Amino acid sequence: AQSVTQLGSHVSVSEGALVLLRCNYSSSVPPYLFWYVQYPNQGLQLLLKYTSAATLVKGINGFEAEFKKSETSFHLTKPSAHMRDAAEYFCAVRTYSGGGADGLTFGKGTHLIIQP
Amino acid sequence: DGGITQSPKYLFRKEGQNVTLSCEQNLNHDAMYWYRQDPGQGLRLIYYSQIVNDFQKGDIAEGYSVSREKKESFPLTVTSAQKNPTAFYLCASSIRANTGELFFGEGSRLTVL
């Protein structure tokens, strides 16, 4: 089975400060990992994805994430936070069953708050 | 523009009534999914379909039903058997079931009065 755990339901940083959102995964097969962002009352938008190529993945809006197999982690970072980064962030892992891949399993989300 | 369209955006229902949420995609994707979102619980999979005329139960299928008669359409019915239907419902699609990357609609918010 596959699962993800996001550490911290809320993270608050000052504008211009480093953003670090933590995600740990569990997977019985080599994982495909994703970060999505959600603004209020909207759907999810893909930030970046890891699919077994380079371990440092760059995404949109200045975000990046590093896959660390030894730590089973896929933390999301951004060097300098902007007010527009305030949103809900979800880490996800590709899910497998006996019939093949079945979509994604999501973490519970981290609400990012940007202090002016 | 290609994308996923969910309707209605907001829906109110009385207890005991069935309601159907629409999801249409023009991305020519094979696979489609329905997720339910509740505060602090992330997204939970209700049903998914890897191909037309086939669908599978997800983690929380009880009280829900779906159909996949056309590639573009994957409607979700919330039945009166669903004990706590008030939630935000998200439809998604992917090129194929094994690609992982999902594209999401804007969501439908259902409130039971």
Side-chain angles (χ1 to χ4, degrees):
Chain A
Q2 295 76 41
S3 65
V4 292
T5 302
Q6 291 184 241
L7 301 177
S9 59
H10 292 78
V11 170
S12 179
V13 302
S14 299
E15 191 173 17
L18 172 72
V19 175
L20 171 61
L21 304 182
R22 300 176 187 273
C23 174
N24 288 91
Y25 70 90
S26 173
S27 179
S28 54
V29 299
Y32 279 20
L33 295 160
F34 304 80
W35 275 100
Y36 282 85
V37 62
Q38 183 183 35
Y39 298 99
N41 291 312
Q42 293 187 23
L44 277 67
Q45 179 184 5
L46 181 68
L47 277 176
L48 51 79
K49 60 183 178 182
Y50 168 76
T51 57
S52 74
T55 56
L56 182 62
V57 181
K58 294 188 183 298
I60 63 171
N61 302 339
F63 284 94
E64 63 181 38
E66 186 172 8
F67 172 72
K68 292 187 176 180
K69 184 178 179 180
S70 61
E71 299 177 8
T72 61
S73 69
F74 190 57
H75 302 330
L76 182 71
T77 60
K78 182 174 181 177
S80 177
H82 292 270
M83 295 300 293
R84 62 176 176 265
D85 295 328
E88 191 84 14
Y89 291 80
F90 291 95
C91 182
V93 62
R94 188 171 64 171
T95 309
Y96 293 86
S97 70
D102 303 328
L104 300 180
T105 294
F106 288 84
K108 295 189 175 183
T110 297
H111 185 62
L112 178 62
I113 302 162
I114 310 298
Q115 305 280 4
Chain B
D1 288 334
I4 300 174
T5 302
Q6 290 187 240
S7 63
K9 177 93 173 160
Y10 299 95
L11 185 60
F12 298 87
R13 175 194 109 175
K14 293 183 180 179
E15 281 191 24
Q17 290 180 336
N18 292 357
V19 62
T20 297
L21 307 180
S22 171
C23 178
E24 303 278 333
Q25 55 101 356
N26 60 5
L27 300 168
N28 199 32
H29 285 178
D30 286 339
M32 297 187 74
Y33 308 82
W34 275 104
Y35 285 89
R36 170 180 170 142
Q37 184 177 17
D38 296 282
Q41 295 197 46
L43 280 70
R44 293 179 290 168
L45 183 64
I46 304 172
Y47 269 98
Y48 65 97
S49 169
Q50 296 184 349
I51 199 168
V52 175
N53 292 322
D54 184 60
F55 50 83
Q56 305 294 329
K57 292 182 179 180
D59 300 318
I60 56 165
E62 184 175 352
Y64 300 97
S65 66
V66 295
S67 63
R68 186 86 187 277
E69 297 176 0
K70 298 187 299 182
K71 187 175 186 177
E72 316 82 69
S73 179
F74 192 41
L76 174 73
T77 297
V78 184
T79 75
S80 57
Q82 170 49 235
K83 300 262 183 263
N84 184 21
T86 294
F88 191 53
Y89 291 89
L90 287 158
C91 180
S93 70
S94 62
I95 295 174
R96 293 177 302 279
N98 62 359
T99 56
E101 181 178 348
L102 300 186
F103 296 80
F104 282 84
E106 292 292 294
S108 292
R109 185 168 295 282
L110 172 63
T111 302
V112 174
L113 304 173

